[in-house]
Amino acid sequence: MFAFAGVEPVPDELVDKSRLQKAMLFELSMARAESLLSGDREPSWDHCLQLASTRQRRHYDAKVPDKLEQCDYDVATHAAQNLVVMLNKVQAQNSDAQLERSPFIPGLGWIASGNGDFSLGSMLIEVKHTDRNFVAGDFRQVLMYWLLKYAAAIENNDDVWSDVLLLNPRRNCALLVKFDYLLRSASASSNRVELSELLRSIVSQDFDRR
């Protein structure tokens, strides 16, 4: 893992002061970061909260606060600024590529399509606002994204990501990994084609049982 110069982690004691669900708190910071990246220097907090609430309701039983406290603003602002700095530094090192927000993740069978956080050329960027290091579940998530992308690319002759960059603006840590390395680590001897066919087989079997 590595850290970004000039980026300060969000203090845990500040996060602990917030009474918001942590998922909602950092979804709020994501919404603010996206607005900043779009060129809005003073994003509307009402808009950010509405966007964060809509996203959280898709996956969780989100509790939408009646109002935000000062510590909520402070945490979301700090984490959002950290993410913007991180992404700008990464883009500066890949100046030929365009930063894309919410890259499309194709579905397959009963697996619904979705969106990642960001992508930059051949690099998928996934953001995790946690108080821990990256764990196996994070790698399984991005590997599934890659397999779904690869399965669609075979049919459409599209490009696939070669690398994944995991970012944690809360702790100021990052990890850059090649997908081929993740595939070898997760599958012993299977290659990308065999893994794609295995996924199709699993999806088809579950689809048949339904």
Side-chain angles (χ1 to χ4, degrees):
M1 289 192 296
F2 63 94
F4 289 82
V7 174
E8 293 294 330
V10 182
D12 289 337
E13 56 270 23
L14 184 59
V15 177
D16 292 339
K17 287 181 181 179
S18 174
R19 291 181 291 179
L20 287 183
Q21 294 173 315
K22 295 301 182 285
M24 176 65 77
L25 179 62
F26 288 106
E27 193 72 71
L28 181 64
S29 78
M30 286 289 288
R32 185 169 180 82
E34 290 171 4
S35 294
L36 291 169
L37 289 166
S38 298
D40 187 353
R41 295 185 178 182
E42 292 296 333
S44 163
W45 282 107
D46 288 340
H47 172 73
C48 291
L49 181 58
Q50 181 181 16
L51 180 58
S53 302
T54 300
R55 291 176 175 174
Q56 284 294 294
R57 286 194 179 107
R58 295 175 187 167
H59 309 288
Y60 308 102
D61 183 18
K63 296 179 180 179
V64 181
D66 294 328
K67 66 175 183 177
L68 297 174
E69 305 293 340
Q70 185 59 49
C71 58
D72 303 328
Y73 293 121
D74 293 342
V75 172
T77 298
H78 192 152
Q81 290 174 341
N82 280 1
L83 179 56
V84 170
V85 171
M86 288 175 161
L87 290 172
N88 284 338
K89 286 179 178 290
V90 173
Q91 189 168 23
Q93 295 177 352
N94 300 268
S95 56
D96 294 336
Q98 183 69 33
L99 182 68
E100 179 183 356
R101 188 178 68 187
S102 301
F104 179 68
I105 309 295
L108 182 65
W110 51 264
I111 301 177
S113 60
N115 298 90
D117 291 327
F118 300 93
S119 66
L120 184 66
S122 62
M123 180 192 303
L124 176 66
I125 302 174
E126 193 67 17
V127 181
K128 300 293 180 186
H129 290 93
T130 65
D131 59 355
R132 52 163 173 76
N133 291 333
F134 303 116
V135 296
D138 301 329
F139 298 113
R140 285 195 294 268
Q141 178 186 356
V142 295
L143 273 174
M144 180 59 73
Y145 285 172
W146 187 92
L147 282 170
L148 291 168
K149 180 81 168 178
Y150 180 69
I154 293 175
E155 297 180 359
N156 302 326
N157 198 31
D158 289 337
D159 295 329
V160 294
W161 301 299
S162 60
D163 304 276
V164 58
L165 177 64
L166 296 171
L167 294 179
N168 187 334
R170 177 176 174 179
R171 297 184 66 225
N172 183 22
C173 62
L175 182 65
L176 178 64
V177 188
K178 289 189 175 298
F179 272 113
D180 281 342
Y181 176 81
L182 286 182
L183 289 166
R184 289 196 303 271
S185 300
S187 64
S189 59
S190 299
N191 60 40
R192 56 176 60 186
V193 175
E194 291 169 333
L195 288 172
S196 177
E197 290 305 314
L198 177 60
L199 177 61
R200 288 182 181 277
S201 174
I202 293 172
V203 170
S204 297
Q205 289 172 9
D206 281 359
F207 213 51
D208 290 343
R209 283 199 294 269
R210 295 182 180 205

